[in-house]
Amino acid sequence: MDFATLAPFLVGVIISGLVLGFVYAIIALGYTMVYGVLQLINFAHSEVFVTGAVVGFEIFRVLADNPINGYLKLLIALVAAMAASGGLNVLIERLAYRPLRNAPRLVPLITAIGVSLILQDLIRIIEGFQGRFDLTYQLPQGFSTPFCGPESTCSGVGSLLAKIGISLQIKEVVMVLVALLSLAALNYLVNFTKLGRAIRAVAQDRVTAGLMGIDANGIISLTFLIGGALGGVSGVLFGLKFGTVNAYSGFDPGIIAFTAAVLGGIGSIPGAVLGGLVLGVIQNLIGVTNILGDALGIANLGVIDSSYQRIGGFLVLVLILIFKPTGLLGRSNVEKV
Amino acid sequence: MKKTSILALTLIGSLALGSASAQTSLKIASLSPLSGGQSDLGSQIKNGAQLAVNEYVPQFKKLGYDLSLTGYDDQADPATGTAAARKIAADTSILAVVGTLNSGVAIPSSAALAPSHVAMVSPANTANQVTDRGLKNMNRIVARDDAQGPAGANFMLTKLKAKSVYLLNDKTAYGEGLTAEVKKALLAKNTKISGDEGTEEKSDFSAIIQKIKLTKPDAIYFGGIYNQVGVFVKQLREAGVTVPLVGGDGLDSEQMVTIGGKGSDNVYYTTVAAPADALPAAKKVADAYSKAYGKDIQGFGIFGYDAAKVVLQGILLASKDNGNKLPSREQVETAMRKVRATGLLSGTVQFNSMGDRKAAKMYIMNISAGKFNLDSTINVKSPVN
């Protein structure tokens, strides 16, 4: 295989990895937000994310025959999913984590896993009553069409992509835009608003922040609300990209996004994004290793096919943690005396 | 000796309870996924079996038996299936089992049922290993992978004129076994295999699709189940790949079209379960099915019905051999191998010494514009007699 066929192929793999990475990145933010404030791994986040995907599915289903604009439908789906997932996350915190806040670290972790299992079955029961299991998104017309039609009708980035033979669909472009928008909004909220300052203060020292007149419980609830809302967004994006979701779909992306959060440095917002993107790209590259092996004439690489792509992500995580235990962008926690 | 005494106890027990009809309870079980991602296929099996049981209730009543079906859920999971099989083994009023859907579940659960001699008749398992282990209690009424694989391969070579094929499987006993048979048949005709890999992935197929675009195969073969293949084919078409996709009987579900959407166009699959309109006798059963369950009968519903009929005729034969008394599980197991079951939708069933159906048919179906159409029919024979 020559360079001329291999280069666009690789670019295509990296681009689809980045698109996937954005979904992971936003899920990872949900983990990282909660961890940053409470030092708690919210394992129920994967189900919060699935809840968002399910709500998105229901909105698209109900609006399927409605003649309103497709993008408006998406907006409604996003808002509804954010509200549902955010509300759910606040409820989880109130019922399952707050009573245990002073318990040893392991206790809320186990509760989190328990909540996660309960939510899985709840989703399954609720959808199962209507005879559904695999929920298939009924996307508005045009979402699945290529971003760039015949080469002659494209311009700018579109024509460049088309020239090297990379096909993006409208929905993937929309997906990345929504992801970037939510990231920007979150970044603004945390770093440039009074509320954000309060969140950072509670993250740094809950008790002292309370003494300074910050309602720590309120801020923690708010953090869960924001984290959950991001979970809702990522759920809809997941449905948009892959088309199908079921009660158990959260596990795999949940674990990967958690890995992404740790890879980037858990607690760090840019770290979560970077971790998500890195994992998305690495997974896709591992998935095509056998082709690269063939092309470069390295026979042994041929055995590494796409079934290894998950392991690849974890391998990178282990390597990074060996050389930089705080993750890519994480800061080490100075023990306060 | 022990078994007969237990049976006697149950007999006495039911008499002592003074049930109004004084009839002996006689049960058969179905074992298939009733919940989870493959519940659509599993419920078809149970519903089909229930229809057959309904038909036979009067006949069993005359013999003094109160016939019923109990549906067990294996969630398409080997461990859950084995646990359910143990429960079945413990319920001595169950004489035989219709099941399972997945070969990966049938293999351990038939082994769990073997010591208590509970006969199984599978309406769906195609992996060679299911009967190759030589278990006395395991039978199937469908063709094996070493018939289904070559049928799929030949179809790609002759009808689709494929020169190169990309192979995928779902890494289960079913998918891997089937795809291995396809590969063998393709290699025998010197077809280029442009890729061959297994994936347990359920949502993101982007890396595989990039490779398919690069290697430009004439056809793709995917040994898997509709809930995975549907998602895959949808993403495949969205990425602009329109080559035909061929699969096995795991695609035989209307859900394939629901999940795959327009992507399921130009999809072909080999199946051992006949389409209802290809079977002359199916009309009545199809009507009964849609009346009872509000859905159209599909392939696995038909085979669930047929497998249950084989089971019931086997029990009747065992009962006759036993002087019209309640047969033991062991007698049922023996009778099942020599039964000549008639009145089935898919024709007469006889088993060979291994429990494979002596002559079975294989159908090639095509999905286009959301409709399932019969493409061709192939006769297959079991490897031994």
Side-chain angles (χ1 to χ4, degrees):
Chain A
M1 209 165 291
D2 54 353
F3 182 75
T5 32
L6 209 57
F9 168 68
L10 271 182
V11 175
V13 170
I14 289 170
I15 287 183
S16 69
L18 284 173
V19 173
L20 178 68
F22 273 110
V23 182
Y24 292 154
I26 303 186
I27 311 174
L29 279 175
Y31 283 103
T32 243
M33 287 279 293
V34 167
Y35 185 86
V37 171
L38 278 186
Q39 272 81 51
L40 163 80
I41 308 285
N42 180 15
F43 266 116
H45 190 68
S46 49
E47 275 61 48
V48 170
F49 144 82
V50 173
T51 306
V54 171
V55 169
F57 158 81
E58 291 292 347
I59 298 288
F60 279 119
R61 186 178 67 84
V62 170
L63 296 181
D65 297 325
N66 203 303
I68 59 173
N69 185 293
Y71 294 98
L72 189 62
K73 287 183 190 175
L74 177 65
L75 189 68
I76 299 172
L78 280 171
V79 171
M82 282 170 81
S85 296
L88 177 68
N89 217 18
V90 171
L91 200 69
I92 294 172
E93 191 272 331
R94 186 69 196 80
L95 296 178
Y97 301 151
R98 194 176 296 181
L100 298 168
R101 202 172 285 162
N102 295 319
R105 284 257 190 106
L106 206 53
V107 177
L109 184 74
I110 291 167
T111 321
I113 295 172
V115 169
S116 155
L117 294 176
I118 292 171
L119 287 176
Q120 277 181 3
D121 283 332
L122 266 182
I123 295 168
R124 189 179 122 188
I125 289 170
I126 292 170
E127 288 298 327
F129 269 135
Q130 300 158 75
R132 288 194 283 263
F133 183 81
D134 286 302
L135 311 174
T136 308
Y137 268 56
Q138 298 175 315
L139 291 182
Q141 285 262 311
F143 269 47
S144 297
T145 50
F147 170 59
C148 198
E151 220 171 301
S152 51
T153 63
C154 310
S155 59
V157 188
S159 72
L160 192 74
L161 288 177
K163 243 176 219 139
I164 51 176
I166 288 156
S167 57
L168 276 179
Q169 291 128 42
I170 300 274
K171 63 176 187 184
E172 286 177 318
V173 178
V174 169
M175 227 187 80
V176 172
L177 286 180
V178 170
L180 286 173
L181 266 177
S182 352
L183 292 177
L186 180 72
N187 190 43
Y188 176 76
L189 181 85
V190 172
N191 289 321
F192 301 100
T193 63
K194 214 171 154 189
L195 216 63
R197 200 184 297 164
I199 292 177
R200 280 178 289 143
V202 171
Q204 210 162 51
D205 187 335
R206 192 158 62 226
V207 179
T208 314
L211 293 174
M212 301 295 138
I214 295 172
D215 171 14
N217 272 337
I219 292 296
I220 288 172
S221 288
L222 188 79
T223 314
F224 271 84
L225 181 73
I226 298 168
L230 286 169
V233 172
S234 52
V236 175
L237 297 189
F238 180 89
L240 206 60
K241 171 135 177 62
F242 300 130
T244 317
V245 70
N246 67 46
Y248 304 108
S249 295
F251 185 76
D252 281 349
I255 287 281
I256 295 166
F258 171 64
T259 313
V262 176
L263 179 66
I266 190 147
S268 153
I269 289 176
V273 178
L274 182 66
L277 295 180
V278 167
L279 273 191
V281 172
I282 285 179
Q283 273 201 11
N284 269 19
L285 281 176
I286 302 239
V288 300
T289 306
N290 51 353
I291 292 279
L292 296 181
D294 283 353
L296 302 173
I298 311 170
N300 291 341
L301 281 183
V303 297
I304 305 176
D305 61 18
S306 61
S307 53
Y308 291 91
Q309 57 183 35
R310 289 285 157 78
I311 305 170
F314 292 111
L315 204 65
V316 171
L317 175 73
V318 170
L319 285 177
I320 299 258
L321 290 186
I322 288 175
F323 294 108
K324 193 168 187 310
T326 51
L328 288 174
L329 298 182
R331 272 181 304 234
S332 59
N333 232 349
V334 183
E335 202 62 49
K336 280 163 240 154
V337 189
Chain B
M1 275 321 283
K2 202 169 173 196
K3 220 144 274 146
T4 30
S5 63
I6 292 173
L7 275 173
L9 274 177
T10 6
L11 248 168
I12 296 164
S14 55
L15 287 173
L17 281 170
S19 57
S21 56
Q23 297 225 320
T24 313
S25 155
L26 190 160
K27 285 195 273 189
I28 68 168
S30 71
L31 182 60
S32 58
L34 302 178
S35 62
Q38 299 176 21
S39 55
D40 185 49
L41 301 182
S43 307
Q44 288 181 39
I45 290 177
K46 187 194 159 206
N47 294 345
Q50 184 66 56
L51 287 183
V53 166
N54 294 349
E55 271 180 35
Y56 274 77
V57 163
Q59 203 175 336
F60 275 78
K61 199 160 216 155
K62 270 187 221 150
L63 292 170
Y65 306 128
D66 190 8
L67 174 69
S68 65
L69 173 88
T70 313
Y72 286 83
D73 184 6
D74 63 30
Q75 295 177 5
D77 170 50
T80 316
T82 312
R86 296 216 175 88
K87 271 189 226 159
I88 293 172
D91 182 348
T92 46
S93 59
I94 297 176
L95 288 189
V97 179
V98 173
T100 64
L101 171 69
N102 304 81
S103 298
V105 181
I107 292 164
S109 37
S110 57
L113 287 171
S116 27
H117 302 284
V118 182
M120 273 178 104
V121 176
S122 164
N125 304 144
T126 58
N128 299 343
Q129 225 194 321
V130 169
T131 49
D132 279 354
R133 294 165 305 151
L135 286 182
K136 270 192 183 156
N137 64 327
M138 187 75 224
N139 313 284
R140 64 173 137 204
I141 62 169
V142 293
R144 301 155 48 102
D145 278 352
D146 47 17
Q148 180 164 207
N154 283 335
F155 176 75
M156 288 190 281
L157 293 172
T158 53
K159 279 258 177 107
L160 301 178
K161 311 259 181 262
K163 298 269 183 296
S164 74
V165 177
Y166 202 100
L167 297 173
L168 290 165
N169 72 72
D170 64 1
K171 306 205 83 175
T172 67
Y174 164 73
E176 271 185 347
L178 182 58
T179 314
E181 294 292 341
V182 172
K183 187 177 181 181
K184 220 195 290 173
L186 287 176
L187 287 177
K189 295 269 170 66
N190 294 320
T191 315
K192 191 182 160 212
I193 307 291
S194 73
D196 177 15
E197 56 191 313
T199 175
E200 287 171 312
E201 183 60 59
K202 287 275 159 64
S203 45
D204 171 41
F205 295 96
S206 46
I208 295 174
I209 290 172
Q210 295 284 357
K211 284 194 273 193
I212 290 175
K213 284 178 92 165
L214 184 73
T215 53
K216 297 195 179 73
D218 300 325
I220 299 164
Y221 191 91
F222 199 146
I225 307 281
Y226 66 87
N227 62 345
Q228 186 189 27
V229 184
V231 178
F232 167 77
V233 80
K234 184 177 180 171
Q235 291 177 23
L236 182 77
R237 301 299 191 227
E238 281 174 357
V241 183
T242 52
V243 298
L245 180 130
V246 184
D249 54 344
L251 308 190
D252 191 1
S253 164
E254 270 172 6
Q255 286 287 313
M256 182 68 201
V257 175
T258 315
I259 296 173
K262 284 194 193 118
S264 51
D265 277 8
N266 208 14
V267 167
Y268 297 85
Y269 60 85
T270 52
T271 178
V272 287
D277 43 6
L279 298 170
K283 178 86 174 72
K284 216 176 95 196
V285 181
D287 287 348
Y289 192 99
S290 48
K291 208 174 135 203
Y293 305 107
K295 281 183 197 163
D296 286 343
I297 195 166
Q298 283 172 272
F300 286 107
I302 291 171
F303 270 71
Y305 173 85
D306 274 6
K309 271 194 140 173
V310 173
V311 160
L312 295 169
Q313 293 184 23
I315 294 175
L316 287 175
L317 179 67
S319 165
K320 205 174 120 207
D321 288 351
N322 197 30
N324 283 333
K325 286 200 288 289
L326 186 69
S328 71
R329 282 174 165 180
E330 220 163 342
Q331 285 166 329
V332 172
E333 182 186 65
T334 317
M336 211 63 83
R337 274 287 152 86
K338 55 179 195 183
V339 76
R340 186 172 182 281
T342 53
L344 309 184
L345 297 179
S346 62
T348 307
V349 165
Q350 270 185 296
F351 295 118
N352 66 6
S353 56
M354 292 158 74
D356 284 322
R357 185 173 179 165
K358 276 186 179 162
K361 274 202 175 74
M362 189 107 238
Y363 304 88
I364 292 176
M365 303 290 292
N366 167 237
I367 307 178
S368 74
K371 293 262 190 316
F372 294 76
N373 309 302
L374 180 63
D375 185 279
S376 43
T377 308
I378 303 161
N379 287 315
V380 291
K381 276 209 152 56
S382 59
V384 291
N385 264 318

